[in-house]
Amino acid sequence: MEQTPLVSIDTSMIAKHLDLLFRGTEGYVPIRILQEKGGAPIKKRLPFLGIDSELENRVIQLATDAAESGAATFLLPGCVQQPGSAKASDVQQMTCLLVDLDSGDTTAARTLLEAAIGPASMVVASGGLTEIEQNRLHIYWRLTAPVMGEDLKRLCQLRGTIARKIG
């Protein structure tokens, strides 16, 4: 008997997300296929996909396979130069300022951030609710060009500063 996926895959949103995060970059996208909280046990998979014209199709297939098995698909919002490791020190390029809002009043935090930074390029409900029953959010601001080196360090420092200030 064929099992119905637990979630539907929005291929157009996957395409938009990949474009937002990886347009203009080179290297590999670290993907994580992990068990959902409270979901059926699965063997985690940690593929690295090359940034090329087939990236979208390969990510869609991975996300579809993951959904069919009840797993979650995550991708690192930066690229690495070679497969194998995706620690912070391995990330070579990023294209967005990303803020995770996983607790508290995410609506108020988003409003505050957009007043200070400008309208977000993309907002993603990241799954689950905060302790006050608001959607957890990932908010992205696309930069004018991919950053690397010292600019990448400054971007990561800015993310840390925003996280501390926004709570």
Side-chain angles (χ1 to χ4, degrees), residues 83-105:
S85 180
K87 297 177 195 161
S89 61
D90 297 314
V91 175
Q92 298 295 307
Q93 294 179 321
M94 291 181 76
T95 63
C96 292
L97 170 63
L98 165 61
V99 176
D100 294 350
L101 299 177
D102 292 330
S103 63
D105 186 345

Side-chain angles (χ1 to χ4, degrees), residues 98-166:
L98 165 61
V99 176
D100 294 350
L101 299 177
D102 292 330
S103 63
D105 186 345
T106 60
T107 302
R110 175 184 176 185
T111 299
L112 178 68
L113 287 167
E114 287 189 315
I117 300 170
S121 302
M122 182 178 284
V123 179
V124 176
S126 61
L129 299 172
T130 69
E131 67 281 0
I132 63 169
E133 302 294 312
Q134 289 193 11
N135 286 322
R136 293 179 177 168
L137 302 175
H138 290 176
I139 305 178
Y140 300 85
W141 288 268
R142 172 79 186 191
L143 305 172
T144 56
V147 295
M148 57 192 85
E150 288 302 312
D151 289 335
L152 179 58
K153 287 180 186 175
R154 282 193 289 279
L155 177 64
C156 292
Q157 289 168 345
L158 176 60
R159 285 186 69 193
T161 300
I162 290 171
R164 285 186 298 281
K165 288 185 182 258
I166 205 77

Side-chain angles (χ1 to χ4, degrees), residues 9 15 18-19 27 33 39 43-44 47 50 54 59 66-67 73 82 84 121 133:
I9 302 299
L18 290 170
D19 180 67
I33 310 295
K43 181 180 180 195
K44 72 178 177 180
E54 287 301 309
V59 171
T73 304
Q82 57 188 355
S121 302
E133 302 294 312

